[in-house]
Structures are given as structure tokens and as C-alpha cells.
Amino acid sequence: MKRSALAVLSLLPLLAACGSSGGGGPRPAAAGSGTPLTAAPAVSAPAAGAPAATPSGKAPAGGAARGPRHTVPDGKITPATGSFTKKEKKYLAGRVPEGTDPAAILQAGQDTCDRLAYTAKIDRDAAVGAVIAGDIKGAEAAVDGLCPDLKPLVAATRGGYPDGTHTAPAPGTYRALTPSKDCSWSLDGAGGSTHTITVRKGTRTFTSTGCYAWARA
């Protein structure tokens, strides 16, 4: 794997707290602390069907949802201070569970945009692979609503596969993104170590390890 890609991927967990509330570049960290000077809370936009958070930020007792998730009506989504732009309101529509600060949901989306932009600036393949592998979550929604200039990056992730075993893979040619020296794969048991593969129609299983993620070539 290229050194730049390794460095970027190892920094992804740290970048989650480095987005700016204005959608700009990541904030600097305090020297020697590894903690952003003005870090926002690490909040992930809730997935559909997830239990609504309580005012304390914790899920209801038992962990599992016991009914449909209740979200704040779009017309009542307001920040504690100031106001949201039209674009921000559109992104937040249907995304804010009752009892959750909408500004935290917005910050999570903006942080995702910042991480994508920062990673892609250093290594585009690493950014695409991070979305496919699930290391950067919620990318499509964040890009669509908050940073549409990154749409080509998200488009490159569609139809990709992370490391693991996949049944009935879609036919096509794929290339490994930021593969390690131990990257290996098999199609219906027939293996190889090249970084480009062709999946033929009727292939039953595709398995890869050490390749991180595969994107359509």
C-alpha cells in the first residue's frame, strides 16, 4: 500500500472530530494532545429505524427500537442560537430524532464532508475506498445535501466491494484500492493476487483479504 494512503487511512478516526462548523478544512490539534482545539461532539446521523436518542444522548433502555423512530417535524427544526440556511434545513429534514440537538446532526454531516475532502486531497483512492469499506459513513447523504462538489467522488464508490465474502457479485472489472502486499482474492474458489479482476456473469462468490476495497475500473 502506498505510504500516503496508509497515512491517510490511519488518520481517519482522528479526522472525525476535525471538521469545521462552516464546512471548511479540519481544525488544528493542540500540540502534543491529539485533541482538536475546538472539537465538535462525535455524533453520527442516525440510521433509519434506529432508536431515538433521549435528551441525555443515550438510546432507550434495552438498546433496540420499540416502535417507529420519532423525528422532529421539519418546521420545528431550529438551532439553540442563530438560524439554519435553506440548504442546512433541507439536509436536516427527517434526520433529527426527538431530544437531539439538530446542530449536532448538521455537524456530523459537515464533518463527513471535511473528511472526504481532506482525504481525497491527499489520495483520492483512499477516500473512495474509505467510503466503500465503511470507514467514512453517511457520505452519500452528506455530499448530496452539504457538499455537492464531491458528488463525483461518491459516484466512484457505487458498485464497489469491501474486503470480505460477497455472494452473486455484479459482473464487471474492478480494481483494488490501496491494497496491501498481502492482497489476495478468489472468485468461486479460484484465487489470485493481481490488483485488477474481472467478475463474469454467473459468479457465485467473491472473497478478498488485504485489498481494503474494490471499485469499478
Side-chain angles (χ1 to χ4, degrees), residues 2-101:
K2 295 176 291 183
R3 287 188 177 181
S4 61
L6 277 169
V8 171
L9 296 175
S10 66
L11 286 172
L12 286 177
L14 298 177
L15 293 174
C18 295
S20 67
S21 60
R27 290 186 284 267
S33 68
T35 302
L37 295 175
T38 54
V43 178
S44 296
T54 64
S56 67
K58 296 181 180 180
R66 297 183 179 179
R69 183 187 68 170
H70 296 289
T71 58
V72 178
D74 295 350
K76 294 185 178 181
I77 297 176
T78 56
T81 59
S83 60
F84 291 128
T85 65
K86 184 177 180 181
K87 181 176 72 171
E88 292 170 343
K89 288 180 179 179
K90 183 178 179 180
Y91 173 74
L92 290 170
R95 296 181 184 279
V96 184
E98 291 181 351
T100 301
D101 182 359

Side-chain angles (χ1 to χ4, degrees), residues 174-177 179-187 190-198 206-211 214:
Y174 301 81
R175 65 185 181 90
L177 302 173
S180 73
K181 64 180 181 179
D182 298 318
C183 172
S184 63
W185 51 267
S186 66
L187 295 170
S193 58
T194 60
H195 296 161
T196 300
I197 61 171
T198 298
F206 166 43
T207 300
S208 82
T209 57
C211 305
W214 298 82

Side-chain angles (χ1 to χ4, degrees), residues 119-190:
T119 306
K121 184 177 180 180
I122 299 173
D123 190 316
R124 188 176 187 277
D125 279 355
V128 173
V131 175
I132 294 173
D135 288 333
I136 296 181
K137 302 182 185 299
E140 187 160 359
V143 167
D144 185 59
L146 300 173
C147 47
D149 55 309
L150 295 178
K151 282 186 177 182
L153 188 71
V154 171
T157 72
R158 294 182 184 130
Y161 292 99
D163 270 341
T165 297
H166 309 279
T167 57
T173 300
Y174 301 81
R175 65 185 181 90
L177 302 173
T178 62
S180 73
K181 64 180 181 179
D182 298 318
C183 172
S184 63
W185 51 267
S186 66
L187 295 170
D188 288 343

